[in-house]
Coordinates of all heavy atoms in Angstrom, one line a residue:
M365 N 88.0 12.0 116.3 CA 86.8 11.3 116.4 C 86.9 10.1 117.4 O 87.9 9.3 117.2 CB 86.3 10.9 115.0 CG 85.1 10.1 115.0 SD 84.5 9.8 113.3 CE 85.0 8.1 113.1
N366 N 86.0 9.8 118.2 CA 86.0 8.7 119.1 C 85.5 7.4 118.4 O 84.5 7.6 117.6 CB 85.2 8.9 120.4 CG 86.1 9.0 121.6 OD1 87.3 9.1 121.5 ND2 85.4 9.1 122.7
I367 N 86.1 6.3 118.7 CA 85.6 5.0 118.1 C 85.7 4.0 119.1 O 86.5 4.0 120.1 CB 86.5 4.7 116.8 CG1 85.8 3.6 116.0 CG2 87.9 4.3 117.2 CD1 86.4 3.5 114.6
A368 N 84.9 2.9 119.0 CA 84.9 1.8 120.0 C 84.7 0.5 119.3 O 84.2 0.5 118.1 CB 83.8 2.0 121.0
D369 N 85.1 -0.6 119.9 CA 84.8 -1.9 119.5 C 85.5 -2.2 118.1 O 84.8 -2.6 117.2 CB 83.4 -2.3 119.4 CG 82.7 -2.2 120.8 OD1 83.4 -2.5 121.8 OD2 81.5 -1.8 120.9
V370 N 86.8 -2.0 118.0 CA 87.6 -2.3 116.8 C 88.2 -3.6 117.1 O 89.1 -3.8 117.9 CB 88.6 -1.2 116.5 CG1 89.4 -1.6 115.2 CG2 87.9 0.1 116.3
L371 N 87.9 -4.7 116.3 CA 88.4 -6.0 116.5 C 89.4 -6.4 115.5 O 89.2 -6.1 114.3 CB 87.2 -7.0 116.5 CG 87.6 -8.5 116.6 CD1 88.1 -8.7 118.0 CD2 86.4 -9.4 116.3
F372 N 90.6 -6.9 115.9 CA 91.6 -7.4 115.0 C 91.5 -8.9 115.1 O 91.6 -9.5 116.2 CB 93.0 -6.9 115.3 CG 93.1 -5.4 115.2 CD1 93.0 -4.6 116.2 CD2 93.3 -4.9 113.9 CE1 93.2 -3.2 116.1 CE2 93.5 -3.5 113.7 CZ 93.4 -2.7 114.8
Y373 N 91.4 -9.6 114.0 CA 91.3 -11.1 114.0 C 91.9 -11.7 112.7 O 92.2 -11.0 111.8 CB 89.9 -11.5 114.3 CG 88.9 -11.2 113.1 CD1 88.6 -12.2 112.2 CD2 88.3 -10.0 113.0 CE1 87.8 -12.0 111.1 CE2 87.4 -9.7 112.0 CZ 87.1 -10.7 111.0 OH 86.3 -10.5 110.0
R374 N 92.0 -13.0 112.8 CA 92.4 -13.7 111.6 C 91.5 -14.9 111.4 O 91.0 -15.4 112.4 CB 93.9 -14.1 111.6 CG 94.2 -15.2 112.6 CD 95.7 -15.4 112.7 NE 96.0 -16.6 113.5 CZ 96.4 -17.8 113.1 NH1 96.6 -17.9 111.8 NH2 96.6 -18.8 113.9
T375 N 91.5 -15.4 110.2 CA 90.7 -16.6 109.9 C 91.7 -17.8 109.8 O 92.6 -17.7 109.0 CB 89.9 -16.5 108.6 OG1 89.0 -15.3 108.7 CG2 89.0 -17.7 108.3
V376 N 91.4 -18.8 110.5 CA 92.2 -20.0 110.5 C 91.5 -21.0 109.6 O 90.4 -21.5 109.9 CB 92.4 -20.6 111.9 CG1 93.3 -21.9 111.9 CG2 93.1 -19.5 112.8
N377 N 92.2 -21.4 108.5 CA 91.7 -22.4 107.6 C 92.0 -23.8 108.1 O 93.1 -24.1 108.5 CB 92.3 -22.2 106.2 CG 91.9 -20.9 105.6 OD1 90.8 -20.4 105.7 ND2 92.8 -20.3 104.9
R378 N 90.9 -24.7 108.1 CA 91.1 -26.0 108.5 C 90.6 -27.0 107.4 O 89.4 -26.8 107.0 CB 90.4 -26.3 109.8 CG 90.9 -25.3 110.9 CD 90.2 -25.5 112.3 NE 88.8 -25.7 112.2 CZ 88.0 -26.2 113.2 NH1 88.6 -26.6 114.3 NH2 86.7 -26.3 113.1
N379 N 91.3 -28.0 107.0 CA 90.9 -28.9 106.0 C 89.7 -29.7 106.6 O 89.7 -30.2 107.7 CB 92.0 -29.9 105.7 CG 93.2 -29.1 105.0 OD1 92.9 -28.1 104.3 ND2 94.4 -29.7 105.1
F380 N 88.7 -29.8 105.8 CA 87.5 -30.6 106.0 C 86.7 -30.1 107.2 O 85.7 -30.8 107.6 CB 87.9 -32.1 106.3 CG 88.7 -32.7 105.2 CD1 90.1 -33.0 105.4 CD2 88.2 -32.9 103.9 CE1 90.9 -33.5 104.4 CE2 89.0 -33.4 102.9 CZ 90.3 -33.7 103.1
F381 N 87.0 -29.0 107.8 CA 86.2 -28.4 108.9 C 85.9 -27.0 108.6 O 86.7 -26.4 107.8 CB 87.0 -28.5 110.2 CG 87.2 -29.9 110.7 CD1 88.4 -30.5 110.6 CD2 86.2 -30.6 111.3 CE1 88.7 -31.8 111.0 CE2 86.4 -31.9 111.8 CZ 87.6 -32.5 111.6
P382 N 84.9 -26.4 109.2 CA 84.7 -25.0 108.9 C 85.9 -24.1 109.4 O 86.5 -24.5 110.4 CB 83.4 -24.7 109.8 CG 82.8 -26.0 110.0 CD 83.9 -27.0 110.0
N383 N 86.1 -23.0 108.8 CA 87.1 -22.1 109.2 C 86.7 -21.5 110.6 O 85.5 -21.4 110.9 CB 87.3 -21.0 108.2 CG 87.9 -21.5 106.9 OD1 88.4 -22.6 106.8 ND2 87.7 -20.7 105.8
I384 N 87.7 -21.1 111.4 CA 87.4 -20.5 112.6 C 88.0 -19.1 112.7 O 89.0 -18.8 112.0 CB 87.9 -21.3 113.8 CG1 89.4 -21.6 113.8 CG2 87.2 -22.6 113.9 CD1 90.0 -22.2 115.0
K385 N 87.5 -18.2 113.5 CA 88.0 -16.9 113.7 C 88.8 -16.8 115.0 O 88.2 -17.1 116.0 CB 86.8 -15.9 113.7 CG 87.2 -14.5 113.9 CD 86.0 -13.5 113.7 CE 85.1 -13.5 114.9 NZ 84.1 -12.5 114.9
E386 N 90.0 -16.4 114.9 CA 90.9 -16.2 116.0 C 91.0 -14.8 116.3 O 91.6 -14.0 115.6 CB 92.3 -16.8 115.8 CG 93.2 -16.7 117.0 CD 94.6 -17.1 116.8 OE1 95.0 -17.2 115.7 OE2 95.2 -17.4 117.8
E387 N 90.4 -14.3 117.5 CA 90.5 -12.9 117.8 C 91.8 -12.6 118.4 O 92.3 -13.3 119.3 CB 89.4 -12.6 118.8 CG 88.0 -12.7 118.2 CD 86.9 -12.4 119.2 OE1 87.1 -12.3 120.4 OE2 85.7 -12.4 118.7
I388 N 92.5 -11.6 117.9 CA 93.8 -11.2 118.4 C 93.8 -10.1 119.4 O 94.4 -10.2 120.4 CB 94.7 -10.8 117.2 CG1 94.7 -11.8 116.0 CG2 96.1 -10.5 117.6 CD1 95.2 -13.2 116.4
A389 N 93.0 -9.0 119.1 CA 93.0 -7.8 120.0 C 91.7 -7.0 119.7 O 91.1 -7.1 118.6 CB 94.2 -7.0 119.8
L390 N 91.4 -6.3 120.7 CA 90.2 -5.4 120.7 C 90.6 -4.0 121.2 O 91.2 -3.9 122.3 CB 89.0 -6.0 121.5 CG 87.8 -5.1 121.6 CD1 87.0 -5.1 120.4 CD2 86.9 -5.6 122.8
I391 N 90.2 -3.0 120.4 CA 90.3 -1.6 120.9 C 89.0 -1.3 121.4 O 88.0 -1.1 120.6 CB 90.8 -0.7 119.8 CG1 92.2 -1.0 119.3 CG2 90.7 0.8 120.3 CD1 92.7 -0.2 118.1
A392 N 88.8 -1.2 122.7 CA 87.5 -1.0 123.3 C 87.1 0.5 123.2 O 85.9 0.8 123.0 CB 87.6 -1.3 124.8
D393 N 88.1 1.4 123.2 CA 87.8 2.8 123.0 C 89.1 3.5 122.6 O 90.2 3.2 123.0 CB 87.3 3.4 124.3 CG 86.9 4.8 124.2 OD1 86.2 5.2 123.2 OD2 87.3 5.7 125.1
A394 N 89.0 4.5 121.6 CA 90.1 5.2 121.1 C 89.7 6.4 120.4 O 88.6 6.6 120.0 CB 91.0 4.3 120.2
N395 N 90.7 7.3 120.2 CA 90.5 8.5 119.3 C 91.2 8.0 118.0 O 92.2 7.4 118.0 CB 91.2 9.7 119.8 CG 90.6 10.2 121.1 OD1 89.4 10.3 121.2 ND2 91.4 10.5 122.0
V396 N 90.5 8.3 116.9 CA 91.1 7.9 115.6 C 91.1 9.0 114.6 O 90.2 9.9 114.6 CB 90.2 6.7 115.0 CG1 88.8 7.2 114.7 CG2 90.9 6.1 113.8
V397 N 92.2 9.1 113.8 CA 92.4 10.0 112.7 C 92.8 9.3 111.5 O 93.5 8.2 111.6 CB 93.4 11.2 113.1 CG1 92.8 12.0 114.2 CG2 94.7 10.6 113.5
E398 N 92.6 9.9 110.3 CA 93.0 9.3 109.1 C 94.5 9.6 108.8 O 94.9 10.8 109.1 CB 92.1 9.7 107.9 CG 90.8 9.2 107.9 CD 90.0 9.6 106.7 OE1 90.4 9.3 105.6 OE2 88.9 10.2 106.9
S399 N 95.2 8.7 108.2 CA 96.5 9.0 107.7 C 96.5 8.8 106.2 O 95.5 8.5 105.6 CB 97.6 8.1 108.4 OG 97.4 6.8 107.9
G400 N 97.7 9.0 105.6 CA 97.7 8.8 104.1 C 97.4 7.4 103.6 O 96.8 7.2 102.6
T401 N 97.7 6.4 104.4 CA 97.5 5.0 104.0 C 96.5 4.2 104.9 O 96.3 3.0 104.7 CB 98.8 4.3 103.9 OG1 99.4 4.3 105.2 CG2 99.7 4.9 102.9
G402 N 96.1 4.8 106.0 CA 95.2 4.1 106.9 C 94.6 4.9 108.0 O 94.2 6.0 107.8
L403 N 94.7 4.3 109.2 CA 94.2 5.0 110.4 C 95.2 5.0 111.5 O 96.1 4.2 111.6 CB 93.0 4.2 110.9 CG 91.8 4.1 109.9 CD1 90.8 3.1 110.5 CD2 91.2 5.4 109.7
C404 N 95.1 6.0 112.4 CA 95.9 6.2 113.5 C 95.0 6.2 114.7 O 94.2 7.1 114.9 CB 96.7 7.5 113.5 SG 97.8 7.6 112.1
F405 N 95.1 5.2 115.6 CA 94.4 5.1 116.8 C 95.2 5.7 117.9 O 96.3 5.2 118.1 CB 94.0 3.6 117.1 CG 93.1 3.0 116.1 CD1 93.6 2.2 115.1 CD2 91.7 3.2 116.1 CE1 92.8 1.6 114.1 CE2 90.9 2.6 115.1 CZ 91.5 1.8 114.2
R406 N 94.7 6.6 118.7 CA 95.4 7.2 119.8 C 94.7 7.0 121.1 O 93.4 7.0 121.1 CB 95.6 8.7 119.5 CG 96.4 9.0 118.2 CD 97.8 8.6 118.4 NE 98.6 8.8 117.2 CZ 99.0 7.9 116.3 NH1 98.7 6.6 116.6 NH2 99.7 8.2 115.3
D407 N 95.5 6.9 122.2 CA 94.9 6.7 123.5 C 93.9 5.6 123.6 O 92.8 5.7 124.1 CB 94.3 8.0 124.0 CG 94.0 8.0 125.5 OD1 94.6 7.2 126.2 OD2 93.2 8.9 125.9
C408 N 94.4 4.4 123.1 CA 93.6 3.2 123.0 C 93.4 2.5 124.3 O 94.4 2.3 125.1 CB 94.2 2.2 122.0 SG 94.3 2.8 120.3
D409 N 92.2 2.0 124.6 CA 92.0 1.0 125.6 C 92.1 -0.3 125.0 O 91.1 -0.8 124.3 CB 90.6 1.3 126.3 CG 90.3 0.3 127.4 OD1 91.2 -0.4 127.8 OD2 89.1 0.3 127.8
L410 N 93.3 -1.0 125.0 CA 93.6 -2.1 124.2 C 93.5 -3.4 125.1 O 94.0 -3.5 126.1 CB 95.0 -2.0 123.6 CG 95.5 -3.1 122.7 CD1 94.6 -3.2 121.5 CD2 96.9 -2.9 122.4
I411 N 92.8 -4.4 124.5 CA 92.7 -5.7 125.1 C 93.3 -6.7 124.1 O 92.8 -6.9 123.0 CB 91.3 -6.1 125.4 CG1 90.6 -5.1 126.3 CG2 91.2 -7.5 126.0 CD1 89.1 -5.2 126.4
E412 N 94.4 -7.4 124.5 CA 95.0 -8.4 123.6 C 94.7 -9.8 124.1 O 94.9 -10.1 125.3 CB 96.6 -8.2 123.6 CG 96.9 -6.9 123.0 CD 98.4 -6.6 122.9 OE1 99.0 -6.3 123.9 OE2 98.9 -6.8 121.8
Y413 N 94.2 -10.6 123.2 CA 93.6 -11.9 123.6 C 94.7 -13.1 123.5 O 94.5 -14.1 124.1 CB 92.4 -12.3 122.7 CG 91.3 -11.4 122.9 CD1 90.8 -10.6 121.8 CD2 90.7 -11.2 124.1 CE1 89.7 -9.8 122.0 CE2 89.6 -10.3 124.3 CZ 89.1 -9.6 123.2 OH 88.0 -8.8 123.4
T414 N 95.7 -12.9 122.6 CA 96.6 -14.0 122.4 C 97.9 -13.7 123.0 O 98.3 -12.6 123.3 CB 96.8 -14.2 120.9 OG1 97.3 -13.0 120.3 CG2 95.5 -14.6 120.2
K415 N 98.7 -14.8 123.2 CA 100.0 -14.6 123.8 C 100.9 -13.9 122.8 O 101.0 -14.2 121.6 CB 100.7 -16.0 124.0 CG 102.0 -16.0 124.7 CD 102.6 -17.4 124.9 CE 103.9 -17.2 125.5 NZ 104.5 -18.6 125.7
G416 N 101.5 -12.8 123.3 CA 102.3 -12.0 122.4 C 101.5 -10.9 121.7 O 102.0 -9.9 121.2
G417 N 100.2 -11.0 121.8 CA 99.3 -10.0 121.2 C 99.6 -9.6 119.8 O 99.8 -10.5 118.9
L418 N 99.6 -8.3 119.6 CA 99.8 -7.8 118.2 C 101.3 -7.8 117.8 O 101.6 -7.7 116.6 CB 99.3 -6.4 118.1 CG 97.8 -6.2 118.3 CD1 97.4 -4.7 118.4 CD2 97.0 -6.9 117.2
E419 N 102.2 -8.0 118.7 CA 103.6 -7.9 118.4 C 104.1 -8.8 117.3 O 104.8 -8.4 116.4 CB 104.5 -8.1 119.6 CG 104.3 -7.1 120.7 CD 104.6 -5.6 120.3 OE1 105.6 -5.4 119.5 OE2 103.9 -4.7 120.7
E420 N 103.6 -10.0 117.3 CA 104.0 -11.0 116.3 C 103.6 -10.6 114.9 O 104.3 -10.7 114.0 CB 103.3 -12.4 116.6 CG 103.5 -13.4 115.6 CD 102.7 -14.7 115.9 OE1 102.2 -14.9 117.0 OE2 102.6 -15.5 115.0
Y421 N 102.4 -10.0 114.8 CA 101.8 -9.5 113.5 C 102.5 -8.3 113.1 O 102.6 -8.0 111.9 CB 100.3 -9.4 113.6 CG 99.7 -10.7 114.0 CD1 99.4 -11.0 115.4 CD2 99.4 -11.7 113.1 CE1 98.8 -12.2 115.7 CE2 98.9 -12.9 113.4 CZ 98.6 -13.1 114.7 OH 98.0 -14.4 115.1
I422 N 102.9 -7.4 114.0 CA 103.7 -6.2 113.6 C 105.1 -6.6 113.1 O 105.5 -6.1 112.1 CB 103.8 -5.3 114.9 CG1 102.4 -4.8 115.3 CG2 104.7 -4.1 114.5 CD1 102.4 -4.0 116.6
N423 N 105.8 -7.4 113.8 CA 107.1 -7.8 113.4 C 107.2 -8.5 112.1 O 108.1 -8.3 111.3 CB 107.8 -8.7 114.5 CG 108.0 -7.9 115.8 OD1 108.1 -6.7 115.8 ND2 108.0 -8.7 116.9
K424 N 106.2 -9.4 111.8 CA 106.2 -10.2 110.6 C 105.4 -9.5 109.5 O 105.3 -10.0 108.4 CB 105.6 -11.5 110.8 CG 106.4 -12.4 111.7 CD 105.8 -13.8 111.9 CE 106.6 -14.6 112.8 NZ 105.9 -16.0 113.1
K425 N 104.8 -8.3 109.8 CA 104.0 -7.6 108.8 C 102.9 -8.5 108.2 O 102.6 -8.4 107.0 CB 104.8 -6.9 107.8 CG 105.8 -6.0 108.3 CD 106.4 -5.1 107.2 CE 107.5 -4.2 107.7 NZ 107.3 -3.5 108.9
T426 N 102.3 -9.3 109.1 CA 101.2 -10.2 108.7 C 99.9 -9.5 108.6 O 99.5 -8.8 109.6 CB 101.1 -11.4 109.7 OG1 102.4 -12.0 109.9 CG2 100.1 -12.4 109.3
P427 N 99.2 -9.6 107.5 CA 97.8 -9.0 107.4 C 96.9 -9.6 108.4 O 96.9 -10.8 108.7 CB 97.4 -9.3 106.0 CG 98.6 -9.6 105.2 CD 99.6 -10.2 106.2
L428 N 96.0 -8.8 109.0 CA 94.9 -9.2 109.8 C 93.6 -8.6 109.3 O 93.7 -7.7 108.4 CB 95.1 -8.7 111.3 CG 96.2 -9.3 112.1 CD1 96.4 -8.5 113.4 CD2 96.0 -10.7 112.4
L429 N 92.5 -9.1 109.8 CA 91.2 -8.5 109.4 C 90.9 -7.5 110.6 O 91.1 -7.8 111.7 CB 90.2 -9.5 109.3 CG 90.4 -10.5 108.1 CD1 89.5 -11.7 108.1 CD2 90.2 -9.7 106.8
M430 N 90.3 -6.4 110.2 CA 89.9 -5.4 111.2 C 88.4 -5.1 110.9 O 88.0 -4.9 109.8 CB 90.6 -4.1 111.0 CG 90.2 -3.0 112.0 SD 91.1 -1.4 111.8 CE 90.3 -0.8 110.3
K431 N 87.6 -5.2 112.0 CA 86.2 -5.0 111.9 C 85.8 -3.9 113.0 O 86.2 -4.1 114.1 CB 85.5 -6.3 112.1 CG 84.0 -6.3 111.9 CD 83.5 -7.7 112.1 CE 82.0 -7.7 111.9 NZ 81.5 -9.0 112.0
V432 N 85.0 -2.9 112.6 CA 84.5 -1.9 113.5 C 83.0 -2.2 113.7 O 82.2 -2.2 112.8 CB 84.7 -0.5 113.0 CG1 84.1 0.5 113.9 CG2 86.2 -0.2 112.7
N433 N 82.7 -2.5 115.0 CA 81.3 -2.8 115.4 C 80.8 -3.9 114.5 O 81.4 -5.0 114.5 CB 80.4 -1.6 115.3 CG 80.8 -0.6 116.4 OD1 81.2 -0.9 117.5 ND2 80.6 0.7 116.1
D434 N 79.7 -3.7 113.8 CA 79.1 -4.8 113.0 C 79.3 -4.5 111.5 O 78.7 -5.1 110.6 CB 77.6 -4.9 113.2 CG 77.3 -5.4 114.6 OD1 78.1 -6.2 115.1 OD2 76.2 -5.0 115.2
G435 N 80.3 -3.6 111.2 CA 80.6 -3.3 109.8 C 81.4 -4.4 109.1 O 81.7 -5.5 109.7
A436 N 81.7 -4.2 107.9 CA 82.4 -5.1 107.0 C 83.9 -5.2 107.5 O 84.5 -4.1 107.9 CB 82.3 -4.8 105.6
A437 N 84.5 -6.3 107.4 CA 85.9 -6.4 107.7 C 86.8 -6.0 106.5 O 86.4 -6.1 105.4 CB 86.2 -7.9 108.0
V438 N 88.0 -5.4 106.9 CA 88.9 -5.0 105.9 C 90.3 -5.6 106.3 O 90.6 -5.8 107.5 CB 89.0 -3.4 105.7 CG1 87.8 -2.9 105.2 CG2 89.4 -2.8 107.1
S439 N 91.1 -5.8 105.3 CA 92.5 -6.3 105.6 C 93.4 -5.1 105.9 O 93.4 -4.1 105.3 CB 93.1 -7.0 104.3 OG 92.4 -8.2 104.1
V440 N 94.2 -5.3 107.0 CA 95.1 -4.3 107.4 C 96.5 -4.9 107.8 O 96.6 -6.1 108.1 CB 94.5 -3.5 108.7 CG1 93.2 -2.8 108.4 CG2 94.4 -4.5 109.9
I441 N 97.5 -4.1 107.8 CA 98.8 -4.4 108.4 C 99.0 -3.4 109.5 O 98.9 -2.2 109.3 CB 99.9 -4.3 107.3 CG1 99.7 -5.4 106.3 CG2 101.3 -4.4 108.0 CD1 100.7 -5.4 105.2
I442 N 99.3 -3.9 110.7 CA 99.6 -3.0 111.8 C 101.0 -2.5 111.7 O 101.9 -3.4 111.7 CB 99.3 -3.6 113.1 CG1 97.8 -4.0 113.1 CG2 99.6 -2.7 114.3 CD1 97.4 -4.8 114.3
K443 N 101.3 -1.2 111.5 CA 102.6 -0.7 111.3 C 103.4 -0.6 112.6 O 104.6 -1.0 112.6 CB 102.5 0.7 110.6 CG 101.8 0.7 109.3 CD 102.4 -0.3 108.3 CE 103.4 0.3 107.4 NZ 104.0 -0.6 106.5
K444 N 102.8 -0.1 113.6 CA 103.5 0.0 114.9 C 102.5 0.2 116.0 O 101.4 0.7 115.8 CB 104.5 1.1 114.9 CG 104.1 2.5 114.7 CD 105.2 3.5 114.7 CE 104.8 4.9 114.5 NZ 105.9 5.8 114.6
K445 N 102.9 -0.2 117.2 CA 102.2 0.0 118.5 C 103.1 0.5 119.5 O 104.2 -0.1 119.7 CB 101.5 -1.3 118.8 CG 100.8 -1.3 120.2 CD 100.4 -2.7 120.6 CE 101.5 -3.3 121.5 NZ 101.1 -4.6 122.1
W446 N 102.7 1.5 120.3 CA 103.6 1.9 121.4 C 102.7 2.5 122.5 O 101.6 2.9 122.3 CB 104.6 3.0 120.9 CG 104.1 4.3 120.5 CD1 104.0 5.4 121.3 CD2 103.5 4.6 119.2 NE1 103.5 6.5 120.5 CE2 103.1 6.0 119.3 CE3 103.2 3.9 118.1 CZ2 102.5 6.7 118.3 CZ3 102.6 4.6 117.0 CH2 102.3 6.0 117.1
L447 N 103.3 2.5 123.7 CA 102.5 2.9 124.9 C 103.1 4.3 125.3 O 104.3 4.4 125.5 CB 102.7 1.9 126.0 CG 102.0 2.2 127.3 CD1 100.5 2.3 127.1 CD2 102.3 1.1 128.4
E448 N 102.3 5.3 125.5 CA 102.7 6.6 126.0 C 102.5 6.5 127.5 O 101.6 6.0 128.1 CB 101.8 7.7 125.4 CG 101.9 7.9 123.9 CD 103.2 8.5 123.5 OE1 103.9 9.0 124.4 OE2 103.4 8.6 122.3
A449 N 103.4 7.2 128.2 CA 103.4 7.2 129.7 C 102.2 7.9 130.2 O 101.7 7.5 131.3 CB 104.7 7.9 130.2
W450 N 101.7 8.9 129.6 CA 100.6 9.7 130.1 C 99.2 9.3 129.5 O 98.2 9.9 129.8 CB 100.9 11.2 130.0 CG 101.0 11.5 128.5 CD1 100.1 11.9 127.7 CD2 102.2 11.5 127.8 NE1 100.6 12.1 126.4 CE2 101.9 11.9 126.5 CE3 103.6 11.2 128.1 CZ2 102.9 12.0 125.5 CZ3 104.5 11.3 127.1 CH2 104.2 11.7 125.8
M451 N 99.2 8.3 128.6 CA 97.9 8.0 128.0 C 98.0 6.5 127.6 O 98.9 5.8 128.1 CB 97.7 8.8 126.8 CG 98.8 8.8 125.7 SD 98.7 10.1 124.5 CE 97.1 10.1 123.8
G452 N 97.1 6.0 126.9 CA 97.0 4.6 126.5 C 97.9 4.3 125.3 O 98.9 5.0 125.0
Y453 N 97.6 3.1 124.7 CA 98.4 2.7 123.5 C 98.1 3.6 122.3 O 97.0 4.1 122.1 CB 98.1 1.3 123.2 CG 98.8 0.3 124.1 CD1 98.1 -0.3 125.2 CD2 100.1 -0.1 123.8 CE1 98.7 -1.2 126.0 CE2 100.7 -1.0 124.6 CZ 100.0 -1.6 125.7 OH 100.6 -2.5 126.5
N454 N 99.1 3.6 121.4 CA 98.9 4.3 120.1 C 99.2 3.2 119.0 O 100.1 2.4 119.2 CB 99.8 5.4 119.9 CG 99.6 6.5 120.8 OD1 98.4 6.9 121.1 ND2 100.6 7.1 121.4
I455 N 98.3 3.1 118.0 CA 98.5 2.0 117.0 C 98.3 2.7 115.6 O 97.3 3.4 115.4 CB 97.4 0.9 117.2 CG1 97.6 0.3 118.6 CG2 97.5 -0.1 116.1 CD1 96.5 -0.7 119.0
D456 N 99.2 2.4 114.7 CA 99.1 2.9 113.3 C 98.8 1.7 112.5 O 99.5 0.7 112.5 CB 100.4 3.6 112.9 CG 100.7 4.9 113.5 OD1 99.7 5.4 114.2 OD2 101.8 5.4 113.4
V457 N 97.8 1.8 111.6 CA 97.3 0.7 110.8 C 97.3 1.2 109.3 O 96.8 2.3 109.0 CB 95.8 0.3 111.3 CG1 95.2 -0.7 110.3 CG2 95.9 -0.2 112.7
E458 N 97.8 0.3 108.5 CA 97.7 0.5 107.0 C 96.6 -0.4 106.5 O 96.6 -1.6 106.7 CB 99.0 0.2 106.4 CG 99.0 0.4 104.9 CD 100.3 -0.1 104.2 OE1 101.3 -0.3 104.9 OE2 100.3 -0.2 103.0
I459 N 95.6 0.2 105.7 CA 94.6 -0.5 105.1 C 95.0 -1.0 103.8 O 95.5 -0.2 102.9 CB 93.3 0.4 105.0 CG1 92.8 0.8 106.4 CG2 92.2 -0.4 104.2 CD1 91.7 1.7 106.4
I460 N 94.9 -2.4 103.6 CA 95.4 -2.9 102.3 C 94.3 -3.5 101.5 O 94.5 -4.0 100.3 CB 96.5 -4.0 102.5 CG1 96.0 -5.1 103.5 CG2 97.7 -3.4 103.1 CD1 97.0 -6.3 103.6
G461 N 93.1 -3.6 102.0 CA 92.0 -4.1 101.1 C 90.7 -4.3 101.8 O 90.5 -4.1 102.9

């Protein structure tokens, strides 16, 4: 199934100020299939907004929020990301809440 506009972000808590949303990466277009614990995005058109992109969150297994279009956000852990020579990025995501 094709999917578009999948945003990965985190909420930054600030004392005495409103929380802010830091956008980490956007999957502009991808094929997606379900796995036992989450989703597998294949042939992704990936845009990473932060220095280091998703790698920091993959290595530390830090939860992020994932939002598809205008839907509700869910907590996820990105298991792995790799680039295929003949297609785009592949990303495996575990849904935790």
Side-chain angles (χ1 to χ4, degrees):
M365 176 172 104
N366 248 8
I367 194 165
D369 299 326
V370 180
L371 178 66
F372 295 99
Y373 67 96
R374 70 184 188 108
T375 302
V376 178
N377 297 322
R378 303 183 314 165
N379 293 334
F380 308 111
F381 294 102
N383 296 341
I384 59 171
K385 179 171 79 171
E386 180 185 23
E387 295 180 349
I388 308 300
L390 174 74
I391 297 175
D393 185 44
N395 295 314
V396 65
V397 294
E398 289 184 57
S399 69
T401 59
L403 299 171
C404 300
F405 297 98
R406 299 293 179 254
D407 194 16
C408 298
D409 181 10
L410 180 66
I411 303 165
E412 294 181 284
Y413 297 121
T414 59
K415 183 178 178 183
L418 294 173
E419 294 303 323
E420 174 184 347
Y421 301 94
I422 294 169
N423 294 337
K424 294 181 180 177
K425 300 192 184 316
T426 306
L428 290 173
L429 295 167
M430 180 181 78
K431 186 175 180 179
V432 179
N433 293 325
D434 293 327
V438 294
S439 293
V440 298
I441 293 178
I442 299 173
K443 301 307 263 181
K444 64 181 178 175
K445 172 187 95 169
W446 69 100
L447 180 62
E448 296 286 350
W450 58 90
M451 56 195 308
Y453 281 97
N454 295 320
I455 301 172
D456 289 348
V457 172
E458 178 183 347
I459 297 174
I460 57 174

